[in-house]
Structure formats: structure tokens, C-alpha cells
Amino acid sequence: MGNNCVAALRAEREAVLEFFGSLTPEEWDAPSGCAGWTVKNVLSHMSAAFHGCFTPWFIGLMRTDNLERSSDRDVEKRAGWAPEKVLSEYRFWSARYLNIQPVMKATGLDKVKIPLGELGKYPMGIFPAAFTFDHHTHLRHDVAGALGRTPPPVDADRMAVTLEWMMAGIPQMCRRSMSTIERPVDITLNGPGGGTWGLSPTPGGLLELRPRGAPAGEALIIGHAAEFGLWGTTREPWRDHEIKIDGDIDLGERFLDALRVV
């Protein structure tokens, strides 16, 4: 992914700044699609993540066994902040994070794997894709939708980066819920940024992501790329979407029931 995920994150950052910069005081305080969080709380979470990359907070995140509770604490800390302060924190630390990415790549730090709480262990070079996913889902599904606003458009590159993180995360994020998936499954997502991914069980009982575009599954799940952020994160039930399963339907349904990307 490399430069592609950094460019995607940069574009998502601009969308966030433009969108949140246009909100009214009432919209900042409105409930978001994240249970218990206002719209301001959502940006507080996003801002805290960037800021935390430069503080001991990040070490705590690596060791946590409850990522959602950690996010709640970040939001609680900023509960009394004015929206302008939250937006200013986001603007400064997101820019700083993007500015260090060339250094990460040049020094090889992007290849170093570190734990991300209970979500598993990942190379630091994929974190811009994780941030892109976080921006994509929060901005479009949790904020714009809750406010009744038209969500920012998504281009194929940003969608592809969002999907790459989601697919890369499935084997580790869903390692317990998918322990009974005993045969290979393929996922085809149609539309801009989409493609085909395969997941196969390993002797150790975990799923393994096969090279993109190499179908070999006994069940093929077919859906829309633009909707994967909704049902792939269980924001909405997969059965409420236009999803087709070819091959072993029982296997495909068990996979979908066990799927939850964070």
C-alpha cells in the first residue's frame, strides 16, 4: 500500500476538516451514530488517536484489552472542550502524523509490527490505512448520516485503502468468532475500489488472507464495496443488504455472522 494509503488518509483528512468546519453549534452537540457519543465526541476520538501517536498514550493502546473503553476515556477527557479546540487539536496532530510518514518509510519503521490492543499485531506502515478506515466510517456512517447531511464523496483509491485495512484485520480481529470457519471463503466487493479477497483456515486455527484476486473458496460472498463499512462493522445487519452467497451457503452465512471489523 505505502504511498497510496498516505495519500488516501491525506484526502480523508481534508474531507474531515471541511465537513466539521461547516457544522453549527447544534450539530456539534447532536447525537452521532456511535452509541452515547455526540458528533463532537466522534471528532474527539479521531483527534485523540493522532495526538496519542506522539505521547505515552500509544503504549497504553498497545497493551489494552478493551479498545472501545480506551476510546471512551479519550472522549471523556475532551468532554468540556469547545468544538473549536477539538478541531484545532485534530488539525495540528493529523498534519504532524502525515508529515512523519516519509521518515517512517525511509527508516524502515513502517515494517515494524506492533500490537494494537486486542485487535492483533500489525506493521506500522498499515496504520494510515487504519486511520483512513476510521475516517471513512465515522464521517460517512456515524456523523453525516446522523445529521441528515450528504456524506462526502469517496473515490476508488480511498475506498480501496479502506477495504485493504478491513480485510487485513479480519484474521486477527475475528480470530475467536471465526474459529469454526473450517474451509476457505472468498469475498467479492463490486464498485469503485472493490475486488476479490480470499480467507483460508490455517493449521493453527486462524484465518489467513490469500493474495488479492486469487479465488479458491468454497463459499463466495458478493456485495457492494460502498456498503462494506456498514455490514462489515455490524453497524447494520448483513441480511439487510443486497448480499449474495454462491457455493456453500451455510459456510458463507456462518462467516458473515462472525464478521466484525473494528
Side-chain angles (χ1 to χ4, degrees):
M1 297 176 65
N3 294 333
N4 289 343
C5 64
V6 174
L9 178 56
R10 196 178 299 278
E12 282 294 274
R13 174 182 180 270
E14 291 302 319
V16 165
L17 289 172
E18 181 178 354
F19 187 93
F20 280 89
S22 70
L23 297 183
T24 65
E26 294 75 20
E27 288 175 320
W28 278 102
D29 290 334
S32 75
C34 297
W37 283 7
T38 65
V39 168
K40 187 185 80 171
N41 292 155
V42 174
L43 187 64
S44 295
H45 154 70
M46 295 163 69
S47 176
F50 280 127
H51 193 168
C53 290
F54 300 90
T55 73
W57 170 96
F58 195 71
I59 297 173
L61 184 72
M62 292 166 61
R63 296 174 176 172
T64 186
D65 59 0
N66 192 330
L67 203 65
E68 291 185 356
R69 179 57 192 140
S70 176
S71 296
D72 284 336
R73 286 194 293 268
D74 296 333
V75 166
E76 290 162 6
K77 179 180 177 181
R78 292 160 175 78
W81 289 19
E84 293 76 14
K85 184 176 180 179
V86 176
L87 189 58
S88 178
E89 182 189 39
Y90 173 86
R91 181 183 292 108
F92 179 83
W93 291 104
S94 59
R96 189 171 179 184
Y97 179 83
L98 283 165
N99 288 340
I100 69 167
Q101 293 312 302
V103 177
M104 299 284 289
K105 187 173 181 62
T107 58
L109 286 172
D110 61 327
K111 295 180 175 61
V112 176
K113 288 188 175 184
I114 62 172
L116 190 60
E118 73 271 25
L119 302 187
K121 198 171 185 178
Y122 302 89
M124 286 197 284
I126 202 174
F127 282 12
F131 278 121
T132 299
F133 156 77
D134 200 53
H135 281 48
H136 172 89
T137 51
H138 283 317
L139 181 55
R140 288 163 185 81
H141 304 318
D142 300 328
V143 175
L147 294 176
R149 281 184 170 231
T150 301
V154 182
D155 58 41
D157 291 339
R158 280 184 276 176
M159 191 74 250
V161 169
T162 296
L163 296 177
E164 288 291 347
W165 165 254
M166 296 181 73
M167 295 299 175
I170 290 173
Q172 297 188 78
M173 294 179 194
C174 305
R175 59 188 178 277
R176 292 186 180 90
S177 62
M178 291 196 177
S179 61
T180 60
I181 303 300
E182 73 286 357
R183 285 170 287 147
V185 174
D186 292 328
I187 304 176
T188 292
L189 299 174
N190 296 315
T196 296
W197 294 261
L199 292 132
S200 298
T202 66
L206 298 177
L207 292 178
E208 181 178 57
L209 188 66
R210 298 195 307 275
R212 185 168 175 169
E218 296 187 26
L220 172 61
I221 296 164
I222 304 170
H224 299 286
E227 297 177 358
F228 192 50
L230 287 168
W231 55 266
T233 62
T234 68
R235 279 171 167 81
E236 294 180 0
W238 66 266
R239 288 180 173 83
D240 290 352
H241 289 264
E242 188 180 336
I243 296 173
K244 180 182 178 183
I245 302 175
D246 285 343
D248 190 326
I249 294 176
D250 174 70
L251 176 65
E253 289 183 344
R254 285 192 287 115
F255 180 93
L256 289 168
D257 287 339
L259 176 64
R260 183 174 183 262
V261 178
V262 178

